[in-house]
Amino acid sequence: MADMPGYFRTCFQTGRLACLAMLVSGGIVLQILACALYNNWWPMLTVIMYVTLPMPLVFFAGSDTSSLYTESGSCWLNATKFLTGASTVGSIAIPIILKHAGVIGWGAMALELSSFFVFVLSILCYLGMNEDDGYSMF
């Protein structure tokens, strides 16, 4: 990407950012549709998990996401990985448990799980953008 002109590189970065914004918006729309279409707002419980998901990363790992891929013996980093994993499993488990209890239907559960996978895709795209971003000043 170094051989591209500056204006083309800027346009490409802006397009990637716009695509990321559309992914997050699509996940939010699926989340709301899962509740509004079936007139049952219990699936909004997964929003609690979506909010708590990045908190261990923010508090314990800081802004360096590359430390999550290492096998260090840091107890704070291990706590971060555990809490992030627990929130992720909770995001999948809540719609399944609600369906098993008969609180929501199959359609609401499918929309909830598709919302989760859209959010996961947007997080992976965000991490991929940070690997070679053109926005950093250093």
Side-chain angles (χ1 to χ4, degrees):
M1 232 169 94
D3 57 343
M4 283 193 268
Y7 64 87
F8 186 71
R9 198 173 329 135
T10 304
C11 183
F12 184 66
Q13 291 288 343
T14 306
R16 286 173 35 182
L17 192 63
C19 181
L20 183 65
M22 285 189 280
L23 275 174
V24 171
S25 300
I28 292 170
V29 166
L30 285 172
Q31 178 75 36
I32 293 172
L33 280 177
C35 299
L37 286 179
Y38 299 98
N39 200 19
N40 186 352
W41 293 91
W42 279 104
M44 277 295 194
L45 284 174
T46 56
V47 172
I48 296 169
M49 289 292 141
Y50 293 153
V51 170
T52 60
L53 186 81
M55 293 304 160
L57 295 170
V58 170
F59 293 138
F60 299 132
S63 62
D64 184 25
T65 57
S66 65
S67 63
L68 293 175
Y69 305 122
T70 62
E71 292 186 23
S72 69
S74 170
C75 63
W76 290 111
L77 194 58
N78 289 337
T80 301
K81 291 176 184 178
F82 174 76
L83 291 173
T84 304
S87 293
T88 305
V89 169
S91 298
I92 296 172
I94 287 175
I96 293 172
I97 291 170
L98 289 174
K99 170 60 185 120
H100 181 71
V103 176
I104 64 174
W106 283 106
M109 185 185 79
L111 283 172
E112 281 290 318
L113 293 177
S114 61
S115 168
F116 172 75
F117 288 118
V118 168
F119 280 132
V120 167
L121 181 64
S122 65
I123 289 170
L124 291 176
C125 289
Y126 174 74
L127 291 176
M129 278 180 58
N130 278 346
E131 296 292 325
D132 56 294
D133 66 348
Y135 297 116
S136 64
M137 298 178 68
F138 301 108

